Amino acid sequence: MSPYCHTTIKALYKEEGNSNKLTYSIAEAETVNTKEKMKSAAFSCSLFLLFLGSYSLASEQQMDVYEYLWNNNTDIANKTLHVDFLRQMQSGSLQAERYVKFTLQDINYLLEVTKMLKKMSKKVTKPDDLKTFMTDRYNKYNSFAASFLSQYFLKGEPPIKPTPAMKKYLSDYGAAMKANDGIYFAVALLPCSRLWIWLANNLDIPNTNPYYTWKTDNMSGHPEKHYKALLNNHLNTKEKVQKANAIFRTQMQNEHDFFATS
């Protein structure tokens, strides 16, 4: 029994002056004490729920979406690492014809995505950080595409027929372009940037391997410089993160299928 309740009984006993009334007063005091406890418990519960709500909101606001998207889809990355194409690349036994076909599809991918980025750089006019991202990515892809064509002595865009896997991959890019918010096209671009670096760093390809150049060409890079702040800034609700994760996972699967069918 609390000191508060004990004091109340004493005061009531003195005021009533007889045992019958004392009994009634004690019961009344206990009722009062019970009500006070219930009020206190209800208040504490309300504070706790308020705390949970505030904590949940703070956690959502502080989520590193850039890392979440990758960590939530590493199962596909690990499956990709073990496809036959990359296993044979690692062992050095990959037939040159397969690598040539893979490279042609990669060129087609690069040229088509560059065209999409050109459209997005014109379509996205605000906010400023997203517009800057689209413009910078277009300039980067366009420059890389030109150097890639020059490297293989290709004049202009070669007429390359996409494989079914590549056709679907590019189609999913097209779907991301149609979204009202350009941030989802940025999300669609990210799997390629992150996965290739991760694969190159996790494939055990020695410098005596004919595909060692592929490893060294792709093992460095810092996509977080371009994507991290952008995604964390714009994907700021649970619904947006869920939509972004669905797009990211689809594109990760498209990357897997590209390697698996090469």
Side-chain angles (χ1 to χ4, degrees):
M1 186 178 288
S2 70
Y4 170 79
C5 186
H6 196 63
T7 303
T8 303
I9 290 174
K10 283 184 176 180
L12 288 170
Y13 173 74
K14 182 177 180 181
E15 183 179 342
E16 298 296 344
N18 61 66
S19 59
N20 290 334
K21 291 183 178 180
L22 173 61
T23 301
Y24 174 79
S25 300
I26 291 175
E28 186 182 61
E30 289 179 344
T31 300
V32 171
N33 187 50
T34 300
K35 289 181 179 179
E36 291 297 328
K37 286 183 177 179
M38 289 176 67
K39 289 180 181 178
S40 178
F43 180 70
S44 298
C45 182
S46 297
L47 285 178
F48 180 66
L49 291 174
L50 180 62
F51 168 77
L52 284 180
S54 300
Y55 178 79
S56 177
L57 179 61
S59 298
E60 184 175 295
Q61 291 174 339
Q62 294 171 8
M63 174 188 283
D64 188 338
V65 181
Y66 174 84
E67 291 300 337
Y68 169 80
L69 293 176
W70 174 256
N71 292 332
N72 202 42
N73 294 283
T74 53
D75 58 316
I76 300 178
N78 283 300
K79 284 196 303 181
T80 305
L81 184 64
H82 293 92
V83 300
D84 178 70
F85 181 86
L86 291 175
R87 291 294 93 192
Q88 289 200 35
M89 181 186 282
Q90 180 172 258
S91 67
S93 61
L94 183 69
Q95 291 293 317
E97 290 81 0
R98 287 183 70 182
Y99 187 75
V100 169
K101 291 178 181 178
F102 166 81
T103 302
L104 286 172
Q105 291 300 312
D106 194 28
I107 290 173
N108 183 51
Y109 167 91
L110 179 59
L111 294 174
E112 293 302 317
V113 174
T114 299
K115 292 175 187 175
M116 294 183 200
L117 274 168
K118 184 177 183 179
K119 292 179 180 178
M120 292 300 291
S121 68
K122 295 178 179 178
K123 176 183 176 181
V124 178
T125 57
K126 58 180 181 179
D128 290 342
D129 59 346
L130 191 56
K131 176 177 173 55
T132 299
F133 171 86
M134 294 299 175
T135 301
D136 287 349
R137 290 298 85 201
Y138 166 64
N139 290 335
K140 179 68 176 179
Y141 271 66
N142 192 46
S143 175
F144 186 57
S147 66
F148 214 40
L149 291 174
S150 176
Q151 179 183 345
Y152 290 98
F153 303 100
L154 295 171
K155 186 177 181 180
E157 296 184 13
I160 301 172
K161 181 181 179 180
T163 62
M166 181 54 66
K167 189 174 182 178
K168 180 184 180 302
Y169 196 176
L170 295 173
S171 176
D172 287 332
Y173 264 117
M177 281 183 70
K178 295 176 182 177
N180 292 330
D181 194 336
I183 190 64
Y184 296 111
F185 190 79
V187 171
L189 287 168
L190 181 56
C192 177
S193 297
R194 289 213 70 172
L195 181 63
W196 281 51
I197 293 172
W198 186 85
L199 290 172
N201 280 280
N202 282 276
L203 285 170
D204 185 15
I205 301 177
N207 56 13
T208 54
N209 188 307
Y211 299 105
Y212 181 70
T213 301
W214 185 89
K215 176 181 174 70
T216 56
D217 284 348
N218 290 287
M219 65 187 302
S220 60
H222 299 280
E224 70 277 3
K225 291 181 179 179
H226 308 289
Y227 291 89
K228 191 167 188 173
L230 185 77
L231 299 189
N232 289 343
N233 183 38
H234 290 276
L235 300 174
N236 51 13
T237 69
K238 182 179 180 180
E239 291 73 21
K240 289 180 179 180
V241 172
Q242 288 177 338
K243 182 174 181 178
N245 183 68
I247 293 172
F248 188 93
R249 189 167 185 83
T250 294
Q251 297 295 72
M252 284 286 285
Q253 187 63 49
N254 284 330
E255 281 287 341
H256 168 274
D257 296 346
F258 171 44
F259 281 104
T261 57
S262 294

